[in-house]
Amino acid sequence: MMRPHRGLDPGSVWAQRLRQLEQRLRTKEERIVVLETENALLHLKLAEYQGLAGRSTNEVLQLYAAHGQQMKLQRSSAVTQLHGAIKRLKQDLKSLRSFALELSKDFQRQSKTCLYQVLAAVQGIQLQNEAMQMFQIKAFDLEQCLQEVTERYEKEKQKRKALHNNLIELRGNIRVHCRIRPLLPFDDSAGHSVSQDRRRNFSEKVAYAADDETVLVKCSRPGHASVNKTFQFERVYNDLESQDAVFADVAPLLTSLLDGYNVCIMAYGQTGSGKTYTMLGPQFDGNLAFSIEEESELGIIPRATQEVFRLISEKPPGSYWVEVSVVEVYNNEIFDLLAKDSYGKVFGIKRDVVTTREGKSDVPLLTHETVENASEFLHLVNKGLQLRVTHPTLVHAHSSRSHLVVTLTITTVVFGDNFGTSWEDEQTSQRLNKEASCTFPQKMRDSKSTSSSRASSPVQLEATEKMKQVKTRLQLVDLAGSECVGGDAKLLVMLCISPGQKYLTESLQSLGFGTRARQVQRGQVKKKTFPVPSKGK
């Protein structure tokens, strides 16, 4: 029996062997049909000869009778010839019978041989099927083992990621994620003086996501060997990963807002690398405003706002309120994109930056609009973005040197008699109590105490309860914008790079910036302590 060659599919080898046996069986069957036909012809001839013999015997008898009658008269030479012919005929008949017998025996032998071959082929097929079943069982076991190993690997990977995040928290490192956008039609565009070969090279893809933590860049120069450079980050997104996947890794940071931490998420990269798409989402033609209808395409800023309000909705009513500011930074100048004129129309204005006694930068006259849901926030941000395009003093809006900073300020209000705070916190609390009537949003000051959806106004409770406000900020930055980073925020930098050869230099600069940013240790991020409300209220 022919053994399957190593490396070949056993099923196909045995199937080929079975086809060969079937072909031989058909050949034998055709031979049997031919032999049966010849046998039938021989039987016909035999019958013919027997008929002839019978007729010859009658003729002989007649001749004998005639011979007996005429024996005495004459002896003819014809009788002698007839006897010779009869003798030869009997010999031929005997030979014919012997041949027919041998032919029948040969047919039986060949039939048995073919039957044995068919049985052997069937047994071989059965053995092959059993072997295939064994292979399938082994393959299934290997797949299960692979799945278990993969699950264990994913669990260990998550543990390692959690430990790495804890280490980042302790060191105060900057989290750096990198997103590689797809190749776009304008990637192969170039000036008229550029040759066709160089133009084709511009559209060549040189930046890849080797895995979810590694960027691989193919660096090549004319006359030099190609060199592969790798860059490690907390997360790397390939050109096929969606906005959902990007935000899934950002969302855990947002819970820190309600835990007392400031959070800053900024996009960094050269013009056209996908920063605005990552932060805002798809935009209207000729307009920086973004569409809020395509939910699957929404960027980090609208998604983060929706997640913040979702988290707030799980807290007691009236214990939080949210304010938003939209700022453009250009040449170290601050433009307030939510400022209004005396008629209430948003027109935008330049603001001054001052340094506080603590040494921090502040914009005291910056407009902060109170919002109660994500829709109000998105509406305000869209207004600011539209103003950024149409305002005559902001003609640099499309410049890569212009930065957009969207800030959500979440104020947490806690009432109680025993806050358990230090002397410094007590002084701050007293100052906040004095300023409560000025700093509390107008919507909350006007709310009625009987409202079921909000807590009683803190202005009405000042006489009987102490109040403390804790402010945390979520800053979302597009187009670089390092001006927003102080040292008390959890910072995530979203590197955006282009995959094409055309932007290789800029992409390497961005990746180098991200690598250096990961190495910065700012110390453990400060958490703003929440007071413990008094019991029995």
Side-chain angles (χ1 to χ4, degrees):
M1 184 180 301
M2 183 178 178
R3 295 181 178 272
H5 293 287
R6 183 174 298 176
L8 297 178
D9 184 6
S12 62
V13 173
W14 285 112
Q16 182 178 1
R17 177 60 179 165
L18 180 59
R19 288 194 295 271
Q20 292 176 353
L21 292 175
E22 290 176 348
Q23 181 63 32
R24 291 179 58 184
L25 180 59
R26 286 194 294 270
T27 303
K28 295 296 183 180
E29 289 177 348
E30 291 173 358
R31 177 61 180 166
I32 290 170
V33 171
V34 172
L35 292 176
E36 287 178 345
T37 303
E38 293 179 356
N39 193 14
L41 292 174
L42 291 175
H43 277 294
L44 289 175
K45 288 183 178 181
L46 179 60
E48 182 180 357
Y49 289 151
Q50 287 177 347
L52 291 174
R55 289 195 297 273
S56 299
T57 303
N58 293 330
E59 291 177 357
V60 169
L61 292 175
Q62 292 176 0
L63 289 173
Y64 273 118
H67 178 68
Q69 293 177 0
Q70 298 178 0
M71 185 179 297
K72 295 180 180 180
L73 299 175
Q74 61 181 10
R75 289 187 179 273
S76 173
S77 59
V79 175
T80 304
Q81 293 177 356
L82 183 59
H83 277 287
I86 292 173
K87 187 177 180 179
R88 290 193 300 271
L89 184 60
K90 288 182 178 179
Q91 290 177 350
D92 290 341
L93 182 60
K94 185 178 181 180
S95 300
L96 185 60
R97 286 178 178 174
S98 177
F99 176 75
L101 183 61
E102 290 296 329
L103 184 62
S104 178
K105 291 180 179 180
D106 183 62
F107 170 72
Q108 292 178 358
R109 286 194 301 269
Q110 291 184 3
S111 298
K112 289 181 180 180
T113 302
C114 292
L115 181 60
Y116 291 149
Q117 291 177 348
V118 171
L119 291 176
V122 171
Q123 290 178 352
I125 293 173
Q126 291 177 349
L127 293 175
Q128 184 65 26
N129 288 336
E130 293 176 358
M132 288 294 294
Q133 290 178 356
M134 292 296 296
F135 286 140
Q136 289 176 351
I137 293 173
K138 289 182 180 179
F140 180 74
D141 293 338
L142 289 175
E143 287 179 356
Q144 284 188 329
C145 292
L146 178 60
Q147 185 177 359
E148 292 175 359
V149 171
T150 303
E151 291 176 355
R152 289 204 305 269
Y153 168 75
E154 291 297 332
K155 289 180 180 178
E156 293 299 325
K157 185 176 177 182
Q158 292 298 327
K159 290 180 181 178
R160 188 192 68 80
K161 189 172 183 179
L163 292 174
H164 179 69
N165 285 333
N166 290 336
L167 181 62
I168 290 177
E169 293 284 350
L170 295 174
R171 289 180 176 176
N173 289 101
I174 299 173
R175 295 172 175 83
V176 181
H177 296 186
C178 180
R179 188 179 196 185
I180 305 174
R181 69 160 172 79
L183 284 172
L184 299 175
F186 62 78
D187 285 332
D188 59 356
S189 62
H192 296 289
S193 60
V194 178
S195 64
Q196 286 294 112
D197 292 338
R198 288 196 62 191
R199 187 169 298 184
R200 282 194 295 268
N201 290 337
F202 281 160
S203 61
E204 179 184 357
K205 189 173 181 180
V206 295
Y208 304 86
D211 54 44
D212 59 0
E213 294 181 354
T214 308
V215 177
L216 174 66
V217 181
K218 294 182 178 180
C219 303
S220 60
R221 291 186 298 169
H224 294 77
S226 178
V227 177
N228 292 336
K229 293 185 178 181
T230 58
F231 300 86
Q232 299 288 330
F233 301 106
E234 277 68 38
R235 181 70 163 86
V236 174
Y237 308 93
N238 61 42
D239 55 358
L240 298 178
E241 295 195 67
S242 64
Q243 299 276 63
D244 292 329
V246 174
F247 184 71
D249 294 318
V250 175
L253 277 177
L254 301 178
T255 59
S256 301
L257 281 170
L258 304 186
D259 293 335
Y261 292 98
N262 291 328
V263 175
C264 178
I265 303 171
M266 58 179 286
Y268 184 91
Q270 93 272 10
T271 301
S273 60
K275 299 184 302 299
T276 301
Y277 175 78
T278 297
M279 295 301 292
L280 293 173
Q283 296 174 288
F284 301 113
D285 293 337
N287 193 340
L288 285 180
F290 57 94
S291 172
I292 60 176
E293 296 180 358
E294 298 290 338
E295 293 189 1
S296 62
E297 297 294 323
L298 288 179
I300 291 176
I301 291 178
R303 288 173 183 265
T305 308
Q306 293 173 349
E307 177 66 11
V308 166
F309 278 102
R310 187 192 69 79
L311 293 172
I312 290 177
S313 68
E314 299 175 353
K315 304 296 182 180
S319 60
Y320 294 85
W321 81 82
V322 180
E323 297 171 299
V324 61
S325 65
V326 182
V327 166
E328 183 186 26
V329 182
Y330 177 69
N331 285 344
N332 293 325
E333 293 183 340
I334 302 296
F335 293 89
D336 185 353
L337 300 186
L338 296 184
K340 299 179 180 179
D341 57 16
S342 57
Y343 298 99
K345 181 179 179 182
V346 176
F347 69 100
I349 192 171
K350 178 181 175 182
R351 299 294 190 188
D352 294 326
V353 180
V354 300
T355 303
T356 63
R357 288 180 297 178
E358 293 81 8
K360 297 183 178 181
S361 298
D362 189 22
V363 185
L365 299 180
L366 185 63
T367 303
H368 294 272
E369 291 284 349
T370 303
V371 292
E372 297 184 353
N373 50 57
S375 298
E376 291 184 6
F377 164 82
L378 296 176
H379 179 70
L380 281 176
V381 172
N382 256 337
K383 275 190 174 181
L385 292 176
Q386 293 170 357
L387 178 66
R388 189 180 179 204
V389 176
T390 58
H391 197 277
T393 64
L394 305 179
V395 295
H396 54 270
H398 293 287
S399 171
S400 61
R401 295 171 295 172
S402 173
H403 317 304
L404 177 69
V405 183
V406 178
T407 304
L408 268 76
T409 303
I410 302 176
T411 303
T412 306
V413 182
V414 179
F415 303 99
D417 294 328
N418 182 18
F419 290 128
T421 59
S422 63
W423 180 85
E424 181 180 356
D425 290 334
E426 182 66 24
Q427 296 297 318
T428 304
S429 179
Q430 291 177 2
R431 178 174 57 82
L432 289 173
N433 284 330
K434 292 178 181 180
E435 298 174 354
S437 60
C438 298
T439 59
F440 232 82
Q442 184 66 32
K443 292 180 180 179
M444 293 192 67
R445 293 205 304 269
D446 294 341
S447 63
K448 296 182 179 179
S449 59
T450 58
S451 175
S452 59
S453 61
R454 295 183 178 270
S456 300
S457 171
V459 177
Q460 299 173 0
L461 296 175
E462 282 186 24
T464 58
E465 290 186 339
K466 294 182 180 180
M467 178 188 72
K468 183 169 182 178
Q469 298 175 350
V470 178
K471 291 181 180 290
T472 55
R473 290 180 175 84
L474 169 63
Q475 290 181 310
L476 303 162
V477 188
D478 180 26
L479 305 178
S482 59
E483 291 83 356
C484 73
V485 185
D488 60 346
K490 292 186 177 182
L491 176 59
L492 185 148
V493 177
M494 182 69 68
L495 292 181
C496 296
I497 66 172
S498 303
Q501 174 73 31
K502 181 179 180 181
Y503 303 104
L504 176 60
T505 302
E506 292 83 356
S507 296
L508 288 175
Q509 291 175 350
S510 297
L511 293 170
F513 169 80
T515 301
R516 294 190 298 274
R518 292 186 70 209
Q519 299 170 356
V520 176
Q521 296 185 13
R522 303 178 298 152
Q524 188 170 4
V525 179
K526 298 178 182 179
K527 177 180 179 181
K528 298 185 179 181
T529 57
F530 286 91
V532 180
S534 59
K535 297 181 180 180
K537 294 289 182 183

